[in-house]
Amino acid sequence: MQALILAGGKGTRLRPLTVYTPKPVVPVCNRPFLLYQLDTLKRAGVTDITLSLSYQPHKIEELLGDGSDFGVRLDYTVEPQPLGTAGAYKFAEDLLREPTVVFNGDIVTDLDLRAAVREHNERKAVATVVLAPVENPSVYGVVETGEDGRVRSFSEKPRADEVSVNTINAGTYILDPKVLDLIPAGESYSFEYDLFPDLLQRGERFYAHVPRGAYWLDIGAPARYLQVHHDILAGRVGGIQLKKRRGECDLATVAEVDELSLLGDDCTVKPGAQIINSVLGEGVHVEEKARVENSVVWPHTRIGAGAHLSNAVVGRGCHIGRSAQVGAGAVLGDKTSLSDYTQTGGAL
Ligand code: GDD
Ligand code: MG
């Protein structure tokens, strides 16, 4: 079994965070996101992995190299221009000799991949799509299945009034290499809009796998990016254990850092400051009486005295002025500077 991770999207919905950092390697709990996907594959014994890139590929290659630091073997494909999800898979054809697990490069899951592969094999499927239940299916690919587990319909981002089930495409597929023959080479082609409807029309063995009680989230929008941090901090994501919640930091004895929070190395937290249910990247500096709650702060940001952050995401190297109030939903790009006493709209 091999794997292909689709990591070529622009990450538009995560802007401004993805202006300098491609979505596949945005930090999640202080680790480049793709490392969690490599872990999920490794747990299932899949170590031969191709990363399908298009946008800012060098930054990703520099960080992950040949994969040996992470116990896997990585290959890369870089499309000259984005070819769509299935087009990207076709573009990697020369590297794919076996049934392949395909991951969207922005999903977090603790799915038992071995069980999905087993079911795929038992059913002699040509394609298996893993499903997840969600509350707002219409922003995803909605999948209807029959009693026998066969996919009956696949509709990508349908209108809300067209949706009758809550099961969506979790962005994980197991594909037999013979589906490669159904994808045109060198042109833009999509699993969701093109290949899956085609498989249905041809009556191919296209099945759905429904994992039992698995965690699933797409981190591709700010609210969900923040949510995954809270879920990992609270231990709700199986397979992810935070080894150490405090790096080598300078924490004032009269500062409060709660048990959930995660601090990278070289952080400074001054007297009277409070860090609650939050993640601070390496080298973050928090001045006296500042309060950071339910927030994610990327490396080397400074938070001024008495400033208050709540449910916010703050990029790298920002400066938050003294007594500034940064409220729910705020997402600040790298190097943002907020002057003293700034107030942003969201509720604190
Ligand atoms: N290499 C490459 N080339 N990768 C691409 C391309 C491309 O042209 N286009 C998208 N990708 C990658 C993105 O980087 C991302 O990891 C993944 O494919 C999915 O793209 P998104 O843009 O994040 O799609 P989405 O979240 O709106 O919808 C998809 O994911 C949902 C689950 O999270 C669809 O697959 C839905 O059906 C699905 O429910
Ligand atoms: Mg997505």
Side-chain angles (χ1 to χ4, degrees):
M1 187 65 64
Q2 294 178 266
L4 176 82
I5 302 181
L6 294 170
K10 284 198 172 149
T12 335
R13 284 161 293 178
L14 262 190
R15 282 184 194 148
L17 299 173
T18 44
V19 172
Y20 300 108
T21 309
K23 177 167 73 166
V25 292
V26 296
V28 167
C29 287
N30 293 344
R31 281 179 93 207
F33 173 68
L34 272 183
L35 296 188
Y36 296 98
Q37 294 203 324
L38 300 186
D39 288 345
T40 305
L41 290 167
K42 236 175 14 176
R43 276 200 301 277
V46 182
T47 53
D48 181 357
I49 302 167
T50 300
L51 294 184
S52 165
L53 310 179
S54 176
Y55 177 66
Q56 300 189 340
H58 303 300
K59 292 191 177 171
I60 301 176
E61 288 196 49
E62 245 166 57
L63 209 69
L64 302 179
D66 64 3
S68 51
D69 287 356
F70 313 104
V72 296
R73 213 179 62 80
L74 291 180
D75 275 312
Y76 296 89
T77 58
V78 180
E79 297 142 59
Q81 72 274 332
L83 287 172
T85 47
Y89 167 65
K90 178 76 176 177
F91 191 72
E93 183 165 20
D94 291 346
L95 298 169
L96 306 175
R97 300 163 300 274
E98 304 167 13
T100 301
V101 176
V102 177
F103 269 162
N104 281 356
D106 59 354
I107 51 144
V108 185
T109 181
D110 56 11
L111 151 89
D112 177 357
L113 200 52
R114 283 183 198 271
V117 171
R118 207 179 311 124
E119 198 174 58
H120 172 85
N121 292 337
E122 281 163 11
R123 290 161 157 177
K124 300 194 171 50
V126 298
T128 294
V129 53
V130 175
L131 304 188
V134 294
E135 278 168 21
N136 53 337
S138 70
V139 299
Y140 299 101
V142 178
V143 184
E144 283 184 306
T145 50
E147 297 263 298
D148 56 356
R150 265 181 111 125
V151 175
R152 281 226 289 253
S153 71
F154 188 106
S155 43
E156 183 65 14
K157 307 199 173 74
R159 290 203 325 256
D161 61 357
E162 291 167 350
V163 176
S164 57
V165 292
N166 72 342
T167 40
I168 60 117
N169 165 20
T172 301
Y173 320 118
I174 301 156
L175 302 176
D176 189 280
K178 78 179 171 217
V179 301
L180 283 164
D181 297 338
L182 302 175
I183 304 172
E187 57 183 85
S188 181
Y189 206 69
S190 153
F191 285 125
E192 299 85 345
Y193 291 103
D194 303 312
L195 182 73
F196 295 155
D198 189 36
L199 291 180
L200 289 173
Q201 221 193 342
R202 290 168 183 269
E204 293 284 356
R205 300 184 69 82
F206 181 22
Y207 281 89
H209 172 77
V210 184
R212 245 182 269 140
Y215 178 90
W216 182 84
L217 198 72
D218 171 331
I219 61 146
R224 288 186 250 121
Y225 173 74
L226 191 57
Q227 180 66 44
V228 81
H229 284 82
H230 296 149
D231 291 339
I232 294 174
L233 292 181
R236 287 192 281 268
V237 191
I240 302 182
Q241 270 113 32
L242 298 172
K243 286 191 202 95
K244 198 166 112 191
R245 296 210 183 212
R246 309 271 166 92
E248 296 295 315
C249 292
D250 180 6
L251 306 181
T253 43
V254 282
E256 179 191 343
V257 178
D258 76 345
E259 282 178 4
L260 290 171
S261 294
L262 174 71
L263 277 60
D265 284 334
D266 299 322
C267 291
T268 303
V269 182
K270 291 287 185 71
Q274 291 176 298
I275 314 294
I276 317 284
N277 191 31
S278 293
V279 176
L280 305 187
E282 188 188 332
V284 168
H285 193 99
V286 184
E287 289 290 351
E288 274 97 5
K289 296 193 176 152
R291 179 177 165 91
V292 179
E293 60 183 327
N294 305 329
S295 295
V296 174
V297 182
W298 286 13
H300 307 296
T301 279
R302 296 180 76 87
I303 299 169
H308 188 170
L309 261 64
S310 178
N311 292 287
V313 182
V314 180
R316 231 185 131 83
C318 295
H319 176 86
I320 310 293
R322 73 163 41 227
S323 298
Q325 308 267 314
V326 182
V331 184
L332 307 183
D334 293 358
K335 302 195 184 108
T336 299
S337 180
L338 295 185
S339 54
D340 296 350
Y341 305 103
T342 294
Q343 301 201 24
T344 64
L348 284 176

